[in-house]
Amino acid sequence: MPRLAWAGTGHIHTPAFAKQSIEKGFTSAGVWDPDSVRAAKYASELGCTSQSVEALAADSKVDGYVICSETVHHLDLVSQLAPTGKPLFIEKPMGFNGAQSGAILELLQKHGNIFQTGYMMRGDAKHLELKKRVDEGFFGSVTRVRASCCHSGALGGWFDTDYRWMADRSQAGVGAFGDLGTHVLDQLMWMFGDIVSVTATMSNGTARYEGCEEIGEALLIFKSGVIGTLAAAWDDVADPIRLQVAGTKGHATVGVDLLLAGTDGKFEKVDVGENVTAGFSAFLEFLEGKTVELVKPEEAVKRDKVMDAIYRAAESRVWVDV
């Protein structure tokens, strides 16, 4: 079975990723983390030892690297691991900011690394069907789209202890809006193309985490002319409708189900196919030799640069061109 090496284990998704790799029978070559206690914990769980990044990079038997560190370390870790030429999973966001994401892209291109990140929503059958309808012109001229990605992380204190760094902009680069909003930003750009201008507003919400926004909303102008809005928050008890699409010939909403309406405006539930592998699962399947669709690193950089512009717009209360 393929052999992984773990460069950073601080992200809130690491426990699930470690469990997935173990259940699939993957072995682990070693774990590095800036927190030695955390490194030892995951090394024990994964049946390997704590090692330096240099040692992990020098191990010729490693098939792929998993970077789940604090985002501030991403560029340094990629600079050490990319020269191996091995596949890299880099948990989103790709870089601490748009400039660092661009530098990471250059390293990946230079060394020919296969890349994947955690945009798992692409694999949802409802989203795949919706994208198909968009591409086929079901909605006519799309006039507006709305997307949200919200949960109760701040209300539940998810970032109080082990994952406190994720609510620290100096370590994560972003707060709630960048953490969650990047998922649906990816969906919107995957379906509707590049974004040319943005504005936004953000708030500290419950103010549980000093200096870190917990809620926000952005207004997006796509190159195609589509107007979009994007909401993200750690302060919501529910997020019942994740996507809305409106056009000159039809409408759609995505929640538990995909609902479509034509020109008569009458919504009907659509039967969709099976989910497909995405995010970290797709990375594992790629290493197993299966055919999967991965996120292009150029796509990840574009998302990070749009997110940068959104934060600048919110801070200055202006429109910012991307």
Side-chain angles (χ1 to χ4, degrees), residues 55 101 110-111 149 158 263 273 281:
S101 294
K110 177 180 178 180
H111 298 289
C149 190
W158 296 6
T263 53
S281 297

Side-chain angles (χ1 to χ4, degrees), residues 31-309:
V31 175
W32 171 86
D33 195 277
D35 183 325
S36 60
V37 174
R38 192 164 61 198
K41 171 184 177 294
Y42 278 102
S44 175
E45 182 177 331
L46 292 161
C48 58
T49 60
S50 301
Q51 297 187 31
S52 67
V53 179
E54 293 80 6
L56 295 178
D59 189 339
S60 62
K61 295 181 179 179
V62 170
D63 295 298
Y65 293 93
V66 181
I67 297 176
C68 283
S69 70
E70 295 85 346
T71 316
V72 70
H73 299 308
H74 282 192
L75 178 56
D76 180 57
L77 290 170
V78 175
S79 69
Q80 295 181 73
L81 298 176
T84 66
K86 303 285 181 66
L88 300 177
F89 176 88
I90 307 171
E91 181 57 298
K92 54 79 190 168
M94 179 191 242
F96 184 77
N97 52 38
Q100 288 200 9
S101 294
I104 288 171
L105 173 62
E106 291 180 5
L107 287 165
L108 299 178
Q109 291 174 331
K110 177 180 178 180
H111 298 289
N113 307 87
I114 295 296
F115 164 82
Q116 176 65 336
T117 193
Y119 288 142
M120 69 281 194
M121 292 182 180
R122 290 191 184 196
D124 189 308
K126 298 187 297 294
H127 303 153
L128 291 165
E129 180 65 24
L130 181 61
K131 184 178 189 304
K132 176 174 173 284
R133 300 290 182 134
V134 170
D135 293 343
E136 291 175 348
F138 174 85
F139 301 99
S141 295
V142 175
T143 52
R144 58 187 170 87
V145 295
R146 294 179 176 175
S148 66
C149 190
C150 306
H151 62 45
S152 58
L155 302 180
W158 296 6
F159 311 107
D160 288 2
T161 54
D162 291 352
Y163 307 108
R164 181 64 183 85
W165 71 269
M166 294 184 69
D168 179 351
R169 293 275 304 273
S170 70
Q171 295 292 305
V174 295
F177 196 88
D179 172 50
L180 291 182
T182 189
H183 285 293
V184 282
L185 178 61
D186 173 63
Q187 285 186 284
L188 291 177
M189 295 181 71
W190 178 55
M191 292 183 185
F192 302 105
D194 289 346
I195 291 169
V196 296
S197 192
V198 301
T199 193
T201 186
M202 299 181 191
S203 167
N204 288 350
T206 69
R208 187 168 192 143
Y209 304 112
E210 184 178 357
C212 179
E213 89 285 348
E214 295 177 10
I215 57 176
E217 187 104 15
L219 185 60
L220 317 168
I221 298 178
F222 290 79
K223 186 176 181 179
S224 64
V226 172
I227 296 171
T229 61
L230 189 163
W234 291 338
D235 289 354
D236 287 22
V237 295
D239 191 14
I241 298 180
R242 289 287 184 92
L243 283 168
Q244 292 178 269
V245 178
T248 56
K249 294 183 179 179
H251 306 268
T253 65
V254 179
V256 174
D257 299 308
L258 170 61
L259 303 179
L260 286 177
T263 53
D264 61 3
K266 295 179 180 179
F267 281 103
E268 293 184 0
K269 177 182 173 181
V270 177
D271 290 329
V272 297
E274 298 294 323
N275 294 343
V276 301
T277 306
F280 186 69
S281 297
F283 183 69
L284 296 183
E285 291 199 1
F286 171 81
L287 294 178
E288 290 177 316
K290 297 178 181 178
T291 300
V292 293
E293 184 173 338
L294 301 176
V295 177
K296 296 179 178 63
E298 294 83 359
E299 292 178 310
V301 171
K302 283 186 176 182
R303 279 70 171 151
D304 287 357
K305 289 187 174 180
V306 171
M307 191 60 72
D308 257 10

